[in-house]
């Protein structure tokens, strides 16, 4: 890492920046939490948190917004990681929001709990009085995110106002808020998908098995491969077939597509990404395809 | 592979979006689905060519108005470097966005339309990048295809800009004649301009030396967070006390004698810890944890430096301030929150010495306030001492932000020019 001319590698620069951001939050907020979904970005974020406070434990809880439609491999991973790190895990349940009548389940073939998560998330932030919420979003994911700040202000309705964002200069972050407001913090803002994988490889970080190629029963819809699962509604004209696939992103079972792949190691995944011609969201997320401004609209409401 | 952060500036229609689109496209950072979405939107709007600016103009309002409102960050990589582009709008009403994008940039590209030459806005962009101390500046003279790739035109522009830049004492300056649309001198050398002997733009971006732009001389370690595990089971951890932070200047080594500010007490570095084990050296931009030999009362906002090389300990300072709010103005007697390194205090505006016309550089000493996007020299009094350097010496210990106590908004950015 250390060369005589003090050049620093891209992963070291990104890691140092992310650690700095985490420590700023721990120092300036009273009740931060870290959104941990068991997906690769949040796994990397968790490793950064481990590094930032070592040898002390991570000084804030983890929170997962559980749609009830998750991949079992990911839930198992989530629970195990929390125990290993001796971290407190808060699970905010979309099912509970439905049961209590806070939100209504969508119906129909394309029903998804994706949008319902926002209410569950905002309710949990309010209930636990979280004033800073770490998210693993990256600016290269989506064009509304390309403009979002590292410290992204949310009003007391949890809303994002993209046209009225606080300027962010140097490494100075404004953490001033009133009671009821909060800041979404994105320590991985400047990472790309490839950086995430390079880092996972370099650090030897464990990730859930569904990121690697495996045989799965799937069907095709809108060019995406959706899994055979009791919560995914499938039509007669959508036959099942077996395919060797892996996941590039981990979201709700109902709207996350798999990609055909033979990659069984992190190295092979990196090779595959280096030549791919589709963004990870474009390839695998039905939720972002809805419209040109789908993400911007959901984010304004308070989505991740 | 290291990282180069660069900002782009140019007036409307100079070709900024086309240039970024080309860099992204030729380095394969644009994906098919993104390109398809852009093509679809271009078609829907009746544009006959694929409008690459749609790639960077991400917000609904921007697409509707066809202008860039905010800083967008874009990423691409070549085998040599990873690049972070801060794509900033060029209009004068977005000066604050350009200042934001330039604050972390290693390099700025200013685009000039070869037909139009050096305009008022080109001078403004050059001034702002110099004010923000962006170490490398590239003047990309674009649309060379529309002036028959003429060397004379390029030379005229170069001479005019060089004369202006010498007044600014601008950074390392490079001129490159390009055509963003046709790709001349963007990724590879153009056959249309055999008279040009320099490198292509991308080659320059890949090779410009930036490691020594950081201040590796003056040791500055703002304490960010004190790590105390309070572990009852392990004696070693029980007594652990580490000072975490990101190195803002200089090279620190175990055994070095250091001074703690504000106490002025001296001690030595016992170890430099990281999760991955102790390290023998720490330098910018590393985030590390220092352990010291003596027990000194140290908290967030303090600073560790070398005994013979200390920053100014200042409660009175002069700074160039860029005002970023439209709801309030900066005026003498304004009270603000100041955040400088890891220290937050209150600041009182004692005086506005002058307001600068960013186009003509004229100093208006009669000015009584700074409004949105205006820049001036301001004298501040701070409630607590800050440990500062001139911004020209260190961007991290010389820069600060100002926060409005009423709205909590970030309303100003300051660059220290004199501290007492
Ligand atoms: N002939 C020619 N046209 C160009 C060149 N670069 C950009 N343009 C055109 O200039 C117009 C404005 O370009 P754009 O990239 O949107 O400029 P921006 O406002 O700075 O982002 C578009 O019609 C481009 O096709 C160039 O090198 N040569
Ligand atoms: Mg543009």
């Amino acid at each position: 890492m250390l060369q005589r001319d003090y050049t620093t590698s891209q992963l070291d620069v990104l890691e140092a920046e992310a650690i700095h951001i985490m420590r700023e939050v721990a120092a300036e907020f009273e009740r931060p939490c870290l959104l941990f979904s068991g997906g690769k970005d949040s796994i990397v974020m968790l490793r950064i948190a481990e590094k930032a406070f070592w040898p002390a434990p991570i000084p804030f809880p983890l929170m997962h917004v559980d749609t009830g439609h998750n991949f079992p491999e990911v839930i198992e991973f989530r629970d195990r990681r929390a125990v290993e790190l001796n971290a407190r895990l808060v699970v905010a349940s979309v099912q509970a929001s439905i049961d209590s009548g806070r939100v209504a389940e969508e119906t129909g073939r394309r029903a998804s709990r994706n949008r319902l998560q926002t209410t569950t998330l905002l309710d949990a932030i309010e209930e636990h009085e979280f004033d800073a919420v770490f998210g693993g979003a990256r600016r290269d994911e989506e064009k509304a995110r390309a403009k979002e700040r590292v410290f992204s202000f949310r009003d007391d309705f949890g809303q994002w106002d993209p046209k009225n964002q606080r300027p962010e200069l140097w490494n100075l972050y404004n953490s001033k808020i009133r009671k009821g407001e909060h800041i979404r913090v994105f320590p991985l803002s400047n990472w790309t998908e490839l950086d995430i994988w390079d880092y996972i490889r370099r650090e030897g970080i464990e990730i859930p098995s569904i990121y690697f190629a495996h045989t799965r029963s799937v069907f095709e819809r809108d060019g995406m491969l959706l899994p055979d699962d009791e919560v995914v509604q499938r039509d007669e004209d959508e036959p099942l077939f077996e395919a060797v696939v892996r996941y590039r992103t981990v979201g709700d079972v109902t709207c996350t597509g798999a990609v055909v792949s033979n990659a069984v190691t992190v190295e092979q995944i990196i090779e595959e990404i280096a030549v791919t011609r589709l963004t990870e969201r474009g390839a695998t997320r039905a939720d972002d395809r809805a419209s040109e401004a789908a993400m911007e609209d959901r984010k304004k409401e308070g989505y991740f | 592979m290291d990282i180069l952060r660069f900002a782009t500036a140019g007036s409307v229609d100079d070709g900024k979006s086309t240039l970024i689109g080309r860099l992204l496209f030729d380095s394969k950072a644009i994906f098919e689905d993104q390109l398809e979405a852009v093509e679809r939107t271009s078609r829907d709007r009746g544009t006959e060519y694929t409008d690459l600016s749609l790639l960077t103009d991400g917000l609904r309002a921007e697409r509707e108005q066809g202008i860039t409102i905010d800083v967008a960050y874009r990423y691409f990589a070549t085998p040599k470097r990873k690049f972070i582009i801060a794509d900033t709008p060029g209009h004068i009403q977005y000066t604050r966005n350009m200042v934001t994008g330039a604050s972390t940039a290693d390099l700025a590209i200013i685009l000039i339309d070869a037909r139009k030459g050096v305009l008022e806005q080109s001078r403004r962009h050059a001034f702002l990048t110099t004010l923000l101390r962006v170490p490398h500046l590239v003047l990309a003279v674009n649309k060379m295809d529309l002036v028959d790739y003429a060397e004379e035109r390029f030379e005229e522009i170069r001479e005019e800009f060089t004369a202006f830049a010498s007044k600014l004492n601008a950074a390392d300056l490079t001129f490159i004649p390009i055509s963003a649309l046709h790709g001349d001198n963007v990724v590879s050398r153009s056959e249309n301009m055999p008279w040009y002997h320099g490198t292509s733009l991308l080659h320059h971006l890949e090779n410009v030396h930036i490691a020594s732009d950081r201040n590796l001389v003056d040791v500055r370690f703002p304490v960010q967070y004190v790590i105390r595990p309070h572990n009852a089971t392990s004696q070693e951890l029980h007594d652990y006390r580490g000072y975490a932070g990101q190195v803002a200047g200089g090279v620190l080594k175990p055994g070095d004698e250091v001074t703690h500010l504000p106490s002025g007490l001296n001690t030595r570095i016992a170890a430099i810890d990281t999760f991955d084990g102790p390290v023998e050296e720490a330098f910018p931009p590393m985030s590390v944890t220092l352990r010291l030999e003596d027990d000194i009362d140290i908290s967030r906002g303090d600073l560790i430096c070398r005994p013979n090389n200390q920053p100014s300990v200042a409660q009175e300072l002069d700074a160039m301030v860029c005002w970023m709010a439209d709801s309030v103005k900066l005026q003498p007697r304004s009270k603000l929150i100041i955040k400088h390194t890891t220290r937050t205090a209150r600041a009182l505006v004692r005086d506005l010495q002058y307001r600068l016309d960013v186009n003509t550089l004229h100093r208006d000493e009669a000015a009584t306030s700074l409004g949105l996007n205006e820049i001036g020299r301001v004298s501040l009094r701070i409630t607590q001492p800050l440990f500062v350097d001139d911004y020209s010496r260190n961007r991290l210990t010389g820069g600060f932000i100002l926060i409005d106590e009423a709205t909590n908004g970030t309303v100003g950015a300051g660059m220290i020019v004199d501290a007492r």
Side-chain angles (χ1 to χ4, degrees):
Chain A
M1 180 183 74
L2 305 184
Q3 289 151 31
R4 283 195 72 92
D5 68 350
Y6 298 105
T7 294
T8 313
S9 83
Q10 115 264 19
L11 290 181
D12 289 329
V13 173
L14 294 171
E15 180 191 76
E17 177 181 84
I19 288 175
H20 172 80
I21 292 162
M22 290 238 164
R23 289 170 174 169
E24 274 308 280
V25 170
E28 298 218 319
F29 290 86
E30 280 171 28
R31 299 172 75 87
C33 79
L34 183 147
L35 289 174
F36 182 61
S37 64
K40 65 183 189 314
D41 300 320
S42 68
I43 291 170
V44 165
M45 189 163 66
L46 192 59
R47 166 58 61 95
I48 300 279
E50 220 183 328
K51 291 195 177 198
F53 304 103
W54 181 92
I58 297 171
F60 37 76
L62 317 181
M63 175 159 75
H64 182 221
V65 179
D66 189 341
T67 60
H69 291 173
N70 296 289
F71 293 94
E73 298 90 333
V74 177
I75 296 298
E76 179 277 325
F77 182 89
R78 173 197 80 183
D79 293 342
R80 185 158 47 81
R81 254 338 251 143
V83 170
E84 280 165 11
L85 287 170
N86 207 1
R88 183 161 79 91
L89 176 68
V90 176
V91 176
S93 155
V94 173
Q95 187 62 53
S97 302
I98 294 170
D99 294 345
S100 68
R102 284 285 290 144
V103 292
E105 181 101 86
E106 290 179 10
T107 54
R109 200 167 70 110
R110 280 157 202 278
S112 157
R113 290 182 168 180
N114 196 290
R115 200 154 190 144
L116 308 185
Q117 292 179 88
T118 301
T119 303
T120 308
L121 171 67
L122 294 177
D123 286 353
I125 290 171
E126 198 172 312
E127 179 194 335
H128 296 276
E129 294 178 42
F130 291 132
D131 51 5
V133 180
F134 287 107
R138 311 185 318 266
R139 286 178 180 148
D140 83 323
E141 274 179 84
E142 205 283 330
K143 57 184 181 277
R145 286 197 164 148
K147 310 227 158 174
E148 186 156 19
R149 303 297 187 256
V150 173
F151 272 40
S152 187
F153 176 79
R154 301 301 149 109
D155 65 15
D156 35 14
F157 297 99
Q159 291 173 321
W160 180 55
D161 180 359
K163 278 186 289 201
N164 192 16
Q165 300 192 75
R166 295 173 173 178
E168 213 155 65
L169 297 100
W170 302 293
N171 60 355
L172 298 174
Y173 302 101
N174 178 350
S175 54
K176 297 283 176 208
I177 53 167
R178 296 195 194 94
K179 204 169 162 45
E181 300 167 340
H182 72 275
I183 303 276
R184 296 282 171 86
V185 184
F186 302 107
L188 308 181
S189 286
N190 288 323
W191 299 51
T192 60
E193 185 185 12
L194 202 50
D195 292 326
I196 294 286
W197 284 110
D198 276 339
Y199 192 74
I200 287 169
R201 172 173 59 177
R202 184 182 88 170
E203 303 284 312
I205 299 174
E206 192 198 336
I207 51 174
S209 55
I210 65 166
Y211 279 113
F212 299 105
H214 55 281
T215 306
R216 187 179 282 267
S217 178
V218 295
F219 67 94
E220 191 174 335
R221 176 184 294 165
D222 302 340
M224 288 198 315
L225 299 179
L226 295 176
D228 177 24
D229 191 293
E230 58 184 14
V231 301
V232 187
Q233 293 186 34
R234 187 168 55 82
D235 277 358
E236 306 265 288
D237 60 348
E238 294 176 320
L240 287 177
F241 57 95
E242 298 254 298
V244 179
V245 298
R246 65 176 203 86
Y247 284 89
R248 270 176 86 185
T249 66
V250 168
D252 212 64
V253 174
T254 57
C255 66
T256 306
V259 293
V260 172
S261 166
N262 290 313
V264 292
T265 63
V266 174
E267 283 75 13
Q268 287 166 354
I269 290 175
I270 290 172
E271 278 171 31
E272 193 182 282
I273 290 171
V275 297
T276 185
R277 301 305 304 138
L278 289 180
T279 61
E280 63 180 36
R281 290 199 154 259
T284 63
R285 296 299 278 268
D287 44 334
D288 287 343
R289 291 187 167 184
S291 87
E292 175 80 11
M295 176 66 96
E296 182 179 340
D297 292 343
R298 276 182 296 143
K299 284 184 68 63
K300 281 181 185 164
E301 292 168 4
Y303 187 75
F304 305 111
Chain B
M1 189 159 81
D2 62 346
I3 295 188
L4 180 93
R5 297 179 204 244
F6 70 92
T8 52
S11 313
V12 197
D13 288 345
D14 283 349
K16 215 155 47 79
S17 302
T18 310
L19 176 65
I20 292 174
R22 179 158 288 283
L23 286 169
L24 296 178
F25 193 74
D26 286 355
S27 63
K28 303 198 166 42
I30 294 179
F31 296 94
E32 273 168 21
D33 53 322
Q34 289 174 309
L35 199 63
E36 267 168 30
V38 165
E39 280 169 350
R40 201 171 339 115
T41 312
S42 300
R43 259 199 318 278
D44 292 351
R45 295 223 205 121
T47 321
E48 71 275 25
Y49 60 95
T50 299
D51 185 357
L52 285 174
S53 69
L54 294 171
L55 276 170
T56 49
D57 297 343
L59 301 175
R60 189 197 296 275
E62 293 176 328
R63 287 193 300 277
E64 283 166 5
Q65 295 164 38
I67 52 157
T68 311
I69 301 175
D70 207 338
V71 192
Y73 293 90
R74 296 280 146 194
Y75 304 84
F76 72 100
T78 67
K80 282 206 160 153
R81 263 192 179 148
K82 168 176 169 133
F83 298 94
I84 302 179
I85 313 176
D87 179 14
T88 64
H91 309 250
I92 189 156
Q93 64 265 39
Y94 301 117
T95 296
R96 68 169 190 170
N97 301 85
M98 190 170 160
V99 166
T100 302
S103 74
T104 51
D106 302 303
L107 179 147
I109 300 177
I110 297 181
L111 269 115
I112 288 184
D113 185 328
R115 296 168 306 175
K116 299 183 193 156
V118 182
L119 301 177
E120 184 178 84
Q121 43 263 40
S122 323
R123 284 191 277 269
R124 184 174 74 243
H125 297 153
F127 166 69
L128 291 176
T129 50
T130 308
L131 180 72
L132 272 290
R133 295 277 163 182
V134 179
H136 307 275
L137 193 53
V138 174
L139 250 284
V141 181
N142 189 30
K143 306 198 185 183
M144 286 300 290
D145 54 306
L146 298 181
V147 296
D148 296 329
Y149 297 108
E151 180 175 12
E152 299 71 39
R153 184 64 190 136
F154 176 70
E155 286 304 327
E156 261 170 42
I157 292 172
R158 184 217 290 265
E159 271 163 39
E160 188 182 349
F161 192 86
T162 306
F164 170 72
S166 64
K167 282 189 277 183
L168 291 177
N169 107 66
D172 162 44
L173 191 55
T174 306
F175 292 84
I176 306 180
I178 64 167
S179 167
L181 191 65
H182 300 294
D184 297 276
N185 288 334
V186 176
V187 171
S188 48
R189 288 272 302 278
S190 165
E191 288 171 9
N192 292 320
M193 290 174 270
W195 46 265
Y196 172 70
H197 299 292
T199 62
S200 73
L201 177 62
L202 184 63
H203 186 271
H204 183 69
L205 296 176
E206 284 183 322
N207 291 287
V208 61
H209 184 70
I210 53 166
S212 50
D213 295 337
R214 285 163 294 166
N215 183 325
L216 295 167
V217 177
D218 312 317
V219 169
R220 301 287 184 264
F221 187 80
V223 176
Q224 194 186 3
Y225 189 84
V226 181
I227 294 181
R228 301 221 52 191
H230 295 293
N231 189 304
T233 52
S234 142
Q235 186 58 42
E236 197 189 331
L237 276 190
H238 187 76
D239 293 333
Y240 188 97
R241 182 191 271 266
Y243 305 102
Q246 187 167 27
V247 183
V251 180
L252 297 99
K253 294 189 173 74
D256 281 353
E257 186 169 27
V258 290
T259 300
H260 164 248
L261 295 176
S263 75
L265 295 172
N266 289 348
T267 179
R268 282 180 193 280
I269 297 177
I272 304 175
D273 286 341
T274 74
F275 174 89
D276 300 294
V279 293
E280 285 309 308
E281 278 187 311
F283 50 87
M286 288 168 69
S287 283
V288 296
T289 302
L290 301 186
R291 273 186 289 133
L292 302 175
E293 284 186 358
D294 300 289
D295 255 335
I296 303 176
D297 182 21
I298 299 179
S299 45
R300 173 175 166 85
D302 296 355
L303 183 126
I304 287 162
C305 59
R306 299 273 274 161
N308 55 359
N309 177 342
Q310 303 193 9
S312 306
V313 179
Q315 279 187 266
E316 302 272 340
L317 48 88
D318 280 11
M320 297 302 294
V321 169
C322 174
W323 195 247
M324 301 182 148
D326 49 7
S327 51
V328 276
K329 287 181 182 301
L330 176 142
Q331 289 167 324
R333 310 293 311 157
S334 294
K335 291 198 182 89
L336 297 151
I337 298 167
I338 183 170
K339 185 165 182 185
H340 170 265
T341 67
T342 57
R343 188 164 268 222
T344 303
R346 297 180 73 217
L348 171 74
V349 176
R350 287 208 307 121
D351 189 22
L352 172 63
Q353 299 186 10
Y354 57 81
R355 181 174 61 205
L356 201 66
D357 182 319
V358 290
N359 290 322
T360 62
L361 303 190
H362 173 75
R363 297 174 177 187
D364 179 2
E365 293 177 7
T368 54
S369 67
L370 290 183
L372 177 64
N373 290 315
E374 292 182 334
I375 294 174
R377 181 168 169 142
V378 173
S379 302
L380 299 173
R381 179 185 297 147
I382 322 290
T383 51
Q384 286 179 48
L386 302 179
F387 314 119
V388 307
D389 293 294
D390 280 359
Y391 185 76
S392 59
R393 193 149 177 97
N394 189 323
R395 289 161 101 186
L396 296 176
T397 53
F400 59 81
I401 57 170
L402 296 169
I403 297 168
D404 182 10
E405 291 180 311
T407 63
N408 286 334
T410 304
V411 292
M415 288 134 289
I416 295 166
V417 288
D418 189 24
R420 293 172 295 278

